[in-house]
Amino acid sequence: MKKWLAFAFGLAALAAVAAAVFFFLPAGLEPVAASAAQPSGDALIARGEYLTKAADCEACHTNPGGASFAGGRRFDLPFGTLYAPNLTPDREHGIGAWSNAEFVRALHHGIGRNGEDLYPAFPYASYALLSDDDALAIRAYLATVKPIAATPPANDLKFPFNQRYLMRAWKLLFVPGHRFEADASKDAAWNRGAYLIGPLGHCGECHTPRNLMQGLDDSRKFAGTKQVGWLAYNLTSDPDHGLGGWSDAQLAQYLSVGHAEGHGPASGPMAEVIGFSLRYLRPDDIRAMVTYLRSIPPQSDGPPAAGRGAPTDVKKPSLGAHVFVEACAGCHLPSGHGRQSPWAALAGSHTTADPNANNLLQVLAQGTQIKTSQGLMFMHAFTSAYTDEEVAALATYTCAQFGQTTCHVTADQVHKVRGDVPAKTEEASQ
């Protein structure tokens, strides 16, 4: 909370800067046109669909259980609540009446159709680097999806965050004023991977810590950070905390299908990224992403990889072991290798190696699911079936057994993560 109060004061201080530059920022439309290399017709639509998936647009702009791209998904942030807008071609409720120039301006400058400054929950700080051709291809594809007449709820932000003009000062500091530039010292695969993970996939928006002003902290690029309760893991080449201990094949498998042999499955927001986006990418693009990930300088932030923590003796009987046998072993097997589906594997998972059990508790409290080529794989939430004490014991046992990590999860931690989800009481469990 102190961090967000400091951010609020800092943002208010920038109001003076915003006022000083108010009339100097280009809010007008810039001419935009496709290059001679841009395809047309069905080829353009197909290219736009691929890029839209690579940019993971559907995950944020689709309310769970709702129509694709119709908006309305809720994002609860420390300074208020935002709702994703409708991206369908409905002319009244979506972007059907937008011009190409207005759409590209939104991606590159974070400015809406009526000149309003958009909030950076929409990752235009990354999309600013997209080429005009790619932005126009995405626009062309979105014009073909089913129009939905749905208006998301109004945003509910606290002062001063509800003052959109403050975003102008923020943009001066954190939004690039140019498109992506290839590094001539690197090969084509590296540059393609840099583009897919940077501007298009905007992976750093979740996996890079933020500074006081909520811009990305480039000094800790891809070092991992906590996002909406989930821990986005370290993506650097560090062997103990990042991806340095993964093989190229394991990384490619994880990005393509959402699990990797010996490293467990994706869950939470990352499972959404796999399900809506990465599983549709071509093998050559996945390989390019792996090439780029391998080059990220190591950072030692975050929990250790599974097997690199301090092992705990789990041979003696415990409440956690009892709950695991009763409720979990049927799908996950006592060995943690998973029954029937590799997405049920626990052994080696980064999630089980976290001493703070951040994502493990989120999975237990909320459940998780992932779309795969074999259908929907899901893990149900432990809502009313077990007490906070039982879930805490289960999490502690799981970390020790499958992550070889010492963690001591408390009932208070479980209660905090569960929030308003009802849990069975001790009396009811007798």
Side-chain angles (χ1 to χ4, degrees):
M1 180 58 69
K2 291 181 179 180
K3 179 179 72 173
W4 288 107
L5 286 175
F7 174 45
F9 284 119
L11 193 60
L14 280 176
V17 180
V21 301
F22 187 88
F23 295 106
F24 298 95
L25 283 178
L29 286 175
E30 300 173 357
V32 60
S35 74
Q38 183 85 308
S40 60
D42 291 344
L44 174 62
I45 303 306
R47 182 167 187 266
E49 181 179 13
Y50 185 82
L51 291 169
T52 300
K53 284 183 166 59
D56 200 25
C57 304
E58 187 174 357
C60 285
H61 289 274
T62 301
N63 206 21
S68 295
F69 300 107
R73 180 163 185 174
R74 175 175 176 147
F75 295 91
D76 291 312
L77 306 172
F79 42 83
T81 302
L82 293 173
Y83 295 90
N86 184 334
L87 291 187
T88 75
D90 184 275
R91 293 185 64 81
E92 180 180 353
H93 305 276
I95 60 172
W98 288 47
S99 69
N100 285 347
E102 288 167 341
F103 182 81
V104 173
R105 180 178 66 175
L107 266 63
H108 286 168
H109 301 292
I111 297 173
R113 189 183 183 213
N114 298 313
E116 71 276 21
D117 292 283
L118 303 177
Y119 291 105
F122 172 46
Y124 53 79
S126 293
Y127 289 158
L129 295 167
L130 289 179
S131 69
D132 286 356
D133 276 2
D134 284 357
L136 289 170
I138 291 170
R139 165 66 174 152
Y141 168 69
L142 289 176
T144 70
V145 305
K146 182 180 179 180
I148 303 294
T151 301
N155 295 330
D156 182 17
L157 298 177
K158 304 170 186 176
F159 182 84
F161 306 103
N162 58 356
Q163 305 301 303
R164 287 183 178 269
Y165 69 88
L166 294 178
M167 291 300 100
R168 300 188 179 187
W170 189 89
K171 291 176 191 178
L172 285 178
L173 295 173
F174 302 114
V175 178
H178 58 87
R179 308 291 80 83
F180 176 80
E181 299 172 355
D183 186 338
S185 69
K186 306 291 186 180
D187 63 19
W190 185 94
N191 279 292
R192 178 62 176 169
Y195 188 76
L196 287 164
I197 286 177
L200 196 57
H202 57 276
C203 304
E205 299 282 344
C206 286
H207 289 273
T208 297
R210 293 185 178 270
N211 56 31
L212 184 62
M213 296 304 301
Q214 291 304 289
L216 296 182
D217 182 356
D218 286 337
S219 69
R220 299 169 65 199
K221 192 172 183 180
F222 296 116
T225 188
K226 203 167 184 178
Q227 301 280 2
V228 292
W230 293 83
L231 187 62
Y233 290 123
N234 186 326
L235 298 185
T236 74
S237 55
D238 185 90
D240 295 321
H241 301 268
L243 301 176
W246 294 54
S247 70
D248 288 358
Q250 288 170 333
L251 277 173
Q253 182 186 20
Y254 188 87
L255 293 172
S256 299
V257 301
H259 77 83
E261 186 74 26
H263 291 282
S267 60
M270 189 61 199
E272 288 189 347
V273 173
I274 302 292
F276 283 105
S277 175
L278 297 182
R279 71 189 180 104
Y280 295 101
L281 297 193
R282 298 185 302 265
D284 61 312
D285 276 344
I286 293 294
R287 289 193 296 270
M289 294 174 71
V290 171
T291 297
Y292 177 75
L293 287 170
R294 287 296 191 206
S295 73
I296 299 173
Q299 300 261 6
S300 58
D301 295 47
R308 288 179 168 81
T312 297
D313 181 8
V314 295
K315 295 180 181 179
K316 56 187 178 182
S318 67
L319 174 60
H322 172 77
V323 175
F324 185 88
V325 170
E326 178 182 86
C328 310
C331 289
H332 298 289
L333 295 180
S335 65
H337 288 98
R339 186 189 299 277
Q340 297 178 336
S341 168
W343 282 272
L346 296 175
S349 169
H350 208 149
T351 294
T352 63
D354 180 3
N356 297 313
N358 285 284
N359 290 359
L360 179 58
L361 289 179
Q362 292 290 340
V363 169
L364 292 173
Q366 300 183 29
T368 186
Q369 63 181 35
I370 182 171
K371 293 180 180 179
T372 76
S373 59
Q374 299 177 27
L376 186 68
M377 304 294 170
F378 67 91
M379 159 75 184
H380 63 79
F382 279 68
T383 52
S384 59
Y386 293 91
T387 66
D388 290 342
E389 288 75 12
E390 288 169 327
V391 174
L394 172 63
T396 298
Y397 170 82
T398 302
C399 286
Q401 179 77 345
F402 305 112
Q404 298 181 11
T405 297
T406 299
C407 68
H408 299 288
V409 181
T410 67
D412 286 342
Q413 284 178 269
V414 175
H415 186 76
K416 183 178 180 181
V417 171
R418 274 177 158 170
D420 295 328
V421 177
K424 186 178 73 171
T425 63
E426 287 288 356
E427 291 78 8
S429 67
Q430 301 301 317

